Each structure stands twice: as C-alpha cells, then as structure tokens.
Amino acid sequence: MRRDPRRRGQTLLLLAAMLPPSLSCREPSPDPQAARNPPDAAGGADTLRPPPAIDPEAPLPPPPDPVTPDEGGPGPLTLDQIDLEGLPADELFALVPRLDSLDDQRAVLEAVIRRWPDHHQALVMLMEVTQSLGVNLAIQEGRRAESFPYLNRSAEVARMLMAHDEPLTESQQAYVGIVFYNEACNHALEGDSSLAIDSLRQALELGFRDPILWDDPELDSLRDRDDFRQLLDQYRGQVAAPEADAEARPLPEDN
C-alpha cells in the first residue's frame, strides 16, 4: 500500500476491483451483502468476482422495494440482537447477510469460526470483511496503523483457507495474493523484515503481479536486502516494470 494519497491507489484499486461491489474500499456501502453472488447448485459461492462493467449511458434501474418480514423476507439485525454464545454456528452464519455493519459481520463470522474452524464459506467471508475493514482505514490519512490488525487477521484467515481441504478458486487465489502483499507492507512498516519477505514471497507464489512492488515506499526497508532483490529477479517476468516500454527494470545495486 502507498501512504502518498496521490499514488497509494494502485494496489487498493486492484483490491477494490476484486472485492464484491459492496465491499469496495473506494466507496464503502451500507449494505455489504446486497451484491454478493448467490450460491450455485452445489451450495458454494464465488464471492470474489469483479463487479460488472457499468454503461454510463444506460438509464439507472429503479430502486428495489424494501424487504420486510411481512413481505416474506427477514429484516436487518444489529449485533446486540444476536446471541453469539448461545446460537449454533450454522444459525449464526445464516444471520450474516442481515447485518449492515461490516464490523458486526466480522464479530459474527469470528464466532462461527471459533466453533467451526473449517467452515470454508465463513472463512472466505471473514477474509473479505477483515481485508475490507483494513483497506477502508488504510486509505484514510493518519489511520494506516489502525489498519494493521484487520489486514493481519485477513492474512491469518487466508492461511486457514489455504490449509483447508477445499481448493481455492482462481479468483480467491489472486485475492489471497493481494492479502499477503498487504501483510508484507504491514511487516515492513513495523520493522519485521524477515516476516515481510516471507509474506511477499507467498504473494508472488500466488500470482501477485502489481508493478507497485517496484517502488512502493512501504517496502523501502527491504530494498537493501539480498533476499528482496532475489525475489524481484525471480519474478521479474511476472511483475512487469511500471514503464510500459521498459524491457527490464534494473535491480537495486549492492552497496
């Protein structure tokens, strides 16, 4: 991530493009579940598809009618209406779409995972929600440090997903790569260079290819390390240099 408000957007916009529209870090929505893709016939859901392209000339659709219990749909909930300790995990998970607040969703999903650690869809949603909460803070001036716990938790949940028996989809794998890149930035800013290199290596192994890697100031503490230069050299073909006409970007010179 970039701290410079004029340039930080490259990775954040890449992440936003992969988030469901309601979780976009560019314009958080009060209804973060409204745009999720419905489960397929097997009960799964690919919640990481990019939003469809918008035709600026097309007329706006009419707003949907509100759903109320009398019309056959459950109404919204707040966290104080939910018994986090008393309800079974499957019932808690079913309540997540009725919560408007991302932080309320996070609390319920954490309760689900505590009781059902291998709930694949709950892990995917918790990874998304914590990443979105972290990104929403990171793009605000002076709040970068507040984003660390959310972004680091997102990476922790991503590792739980990778250890799961159910394989990740291609879009989920790309998303996890971005999650690990943001974790690498956190570690670099905190002075944990070895951890930052480990997270960055995992991001690259999952296909991370944003050229922000070449000059992101949040990674400046790593640029004199041999293992960082080796990573850049190893993945030079995957992570193109920012200049479109550059055949190769020189690595930092050894001191």
Side-chain angles (χ1 to χ4, degrees):
M1 293 181 186
R2 297 185 181 277
R3 287 170 290 176
D4 183 345
R6 296 168 300 176
R7 305 185 65 197
R8 74 168 65 146
Q10 291 184 17
T11 293
L12 297 179
L13 292 180
L14 174 61
L15 174 61
M18 299 183 65
L19 288 167
S22 56
L23 295 183
S24 170
C25 62
R26 291 171 291 181
E27 189 174 348
S29 166
D31 185 10
Q33 291 298 325
R36 288 192 178 277
N37 296 317
D40 57 25
D46 182 359
T47 62
L48 299 175
R49 294 177 185 148
I54 298 175
D55 181 359
E57 303 299 327
L60 293 175
D65 295 330
V67 177
T68 67
D70 291 339
E71 294 172 333
L77 289 173
T78 56
L79 191 60
D80 58 3
Q81 296 175 282
I82 299 175
D83 183 0
L84 289 179
E85 303 304 323
L87 287 176
D90 56 344
E91 293 185 23
L92 282 175
F93 182 72
L95 296 177
V96 173
R98 296 174 59 189
L99 293 164
D100 288 341
S101 164
L102 281 179
D103 204 49
D104 286 356
Q105 289 184 20
R106 180 198 57 79
V108 172
L109 289 166
E110 292 281 12
V112 172
I113 297 304
R114 283 197 297 271
R115 301 182 205 175
W116 197 343
D118 61 348
H119 192 307
H120 185 85
Q121 192 174 359
L123 287 170
V124 170
M125 292 175 66
L126 182 57
M127 176 182 68
E128 293 175 6
V129 166
T130 50
Q131 187 70 195
S132 185
L133 285 165
V135 168
N136 288 342
L137 287 168
I139 62 176
Q140 298 179 45
E141 286 301 320
R143 306 194 70 181
R144 180 66 174 93
E146 295 177 57
S147 72
F148 288 5
Y150 295 105
L151 297 176
N152 289 342
R153 177 56 175 162
S154 183
E156 182 180 354
V157 175
R159 291 187 175 89
M160 295 170 68
L161 269 171
M162 293 180 68
H164 199 275
D165 290 338
E166 185 174 341
L168 298 178
T169 66
E170 184 178 346
S171 61
Q172 288 169 350
Q173 181 171 303
Y175 188 103
V176 172
I178 297 171
V179 169
F180 287 162
Y181 179 83
N182 287 341
E183 182 189 46
C185 291
N186 285 0
H187 289 320
L189 290 173
E190 293 179 312
D192 295 325
S193 298
S194 295
L195 291 177
I197 292 292
D198 288 343
S199 297
L200 185 58
R201 179 178 292 106
Q202 293 177 71
L204 291 165
E205 288 173 350
L206 288 166
F208 183 82
R209 59 182 65 249
D210 192 325
I212 192 177
L213 173 63
W214 289 99
D215 55 7
D216 190 338
E218 294 195 349
L219 299 180
D220 282 352
S221 63
L222 308 179
R223 299 194 185 277
D224 291 333
R225 291 176 60 105
D226 290 340
D227 47 5
F228 181 79
R229 289 194 291 266
Q230 289 165 4
L231 274 179
L232 290 182
D233 191 32
Q234 180 180 354
Y235 288 94
R236 185 189 295 275
Q238 175 176 303
V239 185
E243 294 83 5
D245 58 348
E247 294 182 0
R249 185 183 182 91
L251 295 173
E253 295 182 359
D254 294 329
N255 294 328

